[in-house]
Amino acid sequence: FALYGRFDQTIIFPILAIGSAMITMIGQNFGRRMYTRVISIWWTGILTAIGVVVFVGTLLFVFAPKIYPFFTDVEGVEWYAVRQTRIVVYSWILASFTVLGRASFQAIGRAIPGMIVVILRVIGIALPAAYFYVKVLQLGIYGVWFGIVTGSAVAAVVSGLWVRKT
């Protein structure tokens, strides 16, 4: 889990950078009531984040079996890291909606909705889903990974709809 976690930072950091840039751009245009530009910035950010996830995620997906052995001698750790990468890495497309939604809400001076969606993603959905997958469906570690993906999917829908409505 920790080994994959180091590599998913190569996806998370660019998404956070896009969100940081969006805060300034959306804030300025929202303040000037240039709402069509705000929407354009939102979609540009989302599409850029998706491009980053697809590009970096594909590199990780393909090269995970070659990369992870450099960082561990334990075959089981390598095996789990590769499996987790291949199950979770593209869920960052969904998580991008949450991260960029949070940034957008912050830009317009409404940080609470962004915080709610982030909390929903992790505590409200991912943890209960992981518990259900692990304990009820008995999926083991796969249940944890599916819980992460489920949290990202639900939060992406909520975030996307909430940003759109706002």
Side-chain angles (χ1 to χ4, degrees):
F1 191 79
L3 184 56
Y4 166 75
R6 296 297 140 238
F7 282 92
D8 78 351
Q9 298 297 311
T10 61
I11 295 173
I12 295 169
F13 288 155
I15 295 169
L16 291 173
I18 293 165
S20 294
M22 286 175 60
I23 291 172
T24 302
M25 293 186 294
I26 287 177
Q28 288 174 343
N29 287 286
F30 185 81
R32 296 191 72 208
R33 297 176 190 212
M34 301 175 95
Y35 302 124
T36 55
R37 289 180 76 180
V38 169
I39 293 166
S40 175
I41 293 164
W42 163 257
W43 282 111
T44 300
I46 288 292
L47 294 174
T48 303
I50 289 170
V52 167
V53 174
V54 168
F55 178 73
V56 177
T58 300
L59 290 175
L60 288 174
F61 188 94
V62 170
F63 293 109
K66 304 283 188 227
I67 296 170
Y68 292 132
F70 286 108
F71 300 97
T72 183
D73 292 331
V74 181
E75 190 175 312
V77 170
E78 176 191 333
W79 186 88
Y80 278 112
V82 170
R83 295 304 166 277
Q84 182 176 5
T85 299
R86 292 188 169 164
I87 290 171
V88 175
V89 74
Y90 290 114
S91 72
W92 278 103
I93 291 171
L94 302 167
S96 296
F97 281 85
T98 306
V99 172
L100 300 184
R102 179 190 48 80
S104 298
F105 283 122
Q106 186 177 352
I108 63 172
R110 299 183 69 197
I112 299 298
M115 180 184 70
I116 290 170
V117 173
V118 170
I119 290 170
L120 173 73
R121 180 177 139 229
V122 178
I123 297 172
I125 304 297
L127 280 174
Y131 182 84
F132 175 77
Y133 294 142
V134 170
K135 295 294 186 179
V136 176
L137 298 182
Q138 308 220 339
L139 295 176
I141 192 68
Y142 289 97
V144 174
W145 301 332
F146 293 148
I148 292 168
V149 173
T150 301
S152 294
V154 171
V157 171
V158 170
S159 185
L161 292 174
W162 205 344
V163 166
R164 183 172 185 227
K165 180 176 173 33
T166 302

